[in-house]
Amino acid sequence: MSKQFEQLEILYKQVLNLSKEIKLLIFNEKYDDVVAQEAYKSQIVSKITLVKKTVKLSDEEKNLINELKKEILFQEKENLNHLKELREKTLTELKNISSKSKVSNKYEQIEPTEGTICDYTSD
């Protein structure tokens, strides 16, 4: 195996490890760190693109890279699914808060202008 392939393999493994780290950050609700790691992962993907242009892989090397790609895609799919779940949960919470706010605002705007059935002061 050539040094160029080894370099490419290392880059793919870095992307895989970053995807796993991002998964942990999402579960720990450290979203700012997720954004930073995604930016770093993007840089590595750019490097992969450049290296792939200069490397000619054997069939065996292509198979190894394809296995790494599958692992990365699986991990990314897990991350996206979890983020979708969080998004749905957040949207539901926002709808509930919005509904409560509307009801609260409605009752705050009602001011009695006349006596009510329970007003005993006029007797």
Side-chain angles (χ1 to χ4, degrees):
M1 307 218 173
S2 68
K3 282 192 173 195
Q4 290 176 328
F5 167 74
E6 289 174 1
Q7 181 184 10
L8 186 61
E9 183 181 34
I10 288 170
L11 290 172
Y12 272 104
K13 286 182 179 179
Q14 284 180 331
V15 170
L16 179 61
N17 290 335
L18 281 171
S19 293
K20 290 178 180 178
E21 186 176 330
I22 288 168
K23 178 182 178 180
L24 293 175
L25 292 171
I26 291 169
F27 278 109
N28 292 325
E29 299 180 358
K30 295 182 178 183
Y31 303 115
D32 290 335
D33 294 339
V34 169
V35 172
Q37 292 294 28
E38 283 292 340
Y40 180 60
K41 186 170 69 171
S42 171
Q43 292 174 353
I44 294 174
V45 170
S46 296
K47 288 180 185 178
I48 288 173
T49 304
L50 289 173
V51 172
K52 282 176 68 174
K53 290 180 181 178
T54 61
V55 176
K56 290 189 177 186
L57 301 175
S58 69
D59 289 338
E60 180 184 346
E61 292 170 339
K62 286 179 185 177
N63 289 335
L64 290 172
I65 293 297
N66 285 335
E67 288 300 315
L68 284 171
K69 284 182 186 180
K70 286 179 186 176
E71 288 182 57
I72 292 168
L73 289 173
F74 177 79
Q75 187 61 57
E76 289 296 315
K77 189 173 183 176
E78 274 188 2
N79 291 352
L80 284 173
N81 287 338
H82 186 67
L83 286 173
K84 285 179 184 177
E85 290 171 9
L86 287 174
R87 180 176 176 253
E88 291 301 317
K89 180 181 173 187
T90 303
L91 286 174
T92 302
E93 289 174 6
L94 284 173
K95 285 180 185 177
N96 289 339
I97 290 170
S98 177
S99 296
K100 288 177 185 176
S101 177
K102 286 179 184 178
V103 169
S104 176
N105 287 340
K106 190 70 172 174
Y107 279 106
E108 286 175 0
Q109 293 174 3
I110 297 176
E111 292 184 26
T113 56
E114 298 178 7
T116 63
I117 295 174
C118 298
D119 188 8
Y120 296 107
T121 57
S122 61
D123 291 337

